[in-house]
Amino acid sequence: MKHIYKAGAQPDAPTILLLHGTGGTENDLIGLAEMIAPGAGILGVRGNVSENGMPRFFRRLAEGIFDEEDLIARTAELGSFVDAAAVEYGFDRSNVYALGYSNGANIAASLIFHQADVFKGAILHHPMVPLRGLELPDLKGLPVFIGAGENDPIVPRRETEELASLLSGAGADVNTHWERQGHQLTRTEAEAAAAWFKTQA
Ligand code: MLT
């Protein structure tokens, strides 16, 4: 997958997997990662799917309606890519945090739904429930920050709450931060994620 990698400042620094929103690139969330996790390694990935020229991580049939077969296949593809990148670049695969926005947060959530130890933790900005009817793996103690909008036109409040409760039901330690700026990833939401991340280190 098209990507950018930057090693962390220290060998024991975590690696942040950057997953952009629809129409983004592997570079989009670098500034955000530097603010949330200064000194961390960075693996920014570009989604392999193009929707009218806009990169995404999986196909959708309409806004918020996912092509589940493609989502499942792309989730596996991204998981394998991160495993291979850890070998290629020599970062610690067990110390990877996901940082995703919108479509990128949705595939990060899908990875978590499929694989217990895929991340050390996750920061999900405006995620949806990626798939329903799955039995989730044991997520005991997995720290997850969710940034959401009370008035997000793409992600209704009840969907954010459903995702939080699915994750906590499987044992994750979920922290939801609410804003009132629609689907936007605001400065204050980024600051809340940074404050949360500090409590993880
Ligand atoms: C998605 O397709 O993942 C959601 O609709 C969010 C987005 O617009 O990327």
Side-chain angles (χ1 to χ4, degrees):
M1 298 180 79
K2 194 161 178 6
H3 66 280
I4 176 169
Y5 175 73
K6 195 182 122 215
Q10 309 287 339
D12 61 352
T15 298
I16 313 293
L17 175 67
L18 310 181
L19 302 166
H20 61 78
T22 301
T25 74
E26 63 278 18
N27 297 308
D28 278 15
L29 303 178
I30 294 176
L32 181 64
E34 286 171 350
M35 176 190 159
I36 292 176
I42 281 172
L43 179 62
V45 185
R46 186 183 299 196
N48 266 345
V49 166
S50 169
E51 182 183 273
N52 304 318
M54 294 187 299
R56 286 179 51 84
F57 288 95
F58 56 88
R59 280 195 210 106
R60 63 179 164 183
L61 309 172
E63 191 168 275
I65 304 180
F66 303 152
D67 176 336
E68 294 195 353
E69 202 178 310
D70 188 62
L71 170 56
I72 292 167
R74 300 286 178 188
T75 298
E77 177 184 51
L78 178 60
S80 306
F81 170 77
V82 176
D83 294 348
V87 175
E88 182 181 347
Y89 296 117
F91 62 80
D92 178 358
R93 179 65 189 84
S94 67
N95 197 11
V96 176
Y97 286 79
L99 171 58
Y101 168 59
S102 193
N103 181 245
N106 293 341
I107 198 152
S110 178
L111 274 160
I112 294 169
F113 273 28
H114 285 94
Q115 204 182 315
D117 54 355
V118 66
F119 299 125
K120 183 141 182 221
I123 297 172
L124 308 177
H125 293 288
H126 301 261
M128 302 174 70
V129 174
L131 288 162
R132 291 188 170 80
L134 266 193
E135 195 182 322
L136 267 56
D138 181 359
L139 302 176
K140 195 168 183 335
L142 179 77
V144 180
F145 174 95
I146 295 179
E150 282 172 17
N151 57 347
D152 187 326
I154 297 175
V155 192
R157 185 182 178 113
R158 64 173 181 283
E159 180 152 354
T160 303
E161 289 166 348
E162 183 186 351
L163 177 64
S165 93
L166 286 168
L167 293 169
S168 23
D173 184 3
V174 182
N175 193 297
T176 306
H177 170 85
W178 291 97
E179 297 263 321
R180 283 200 60 78
Q181 299 296 329
H183 198 60
Q184 282 179 65
L185 202 182
T186 61
R187 175 90 199 172
T188 46
E189 183 174 318
E191 283 165 359
W196 172 88
F197 189 77
K198 270 209 188 91
T199 68
Q200 301 305 314

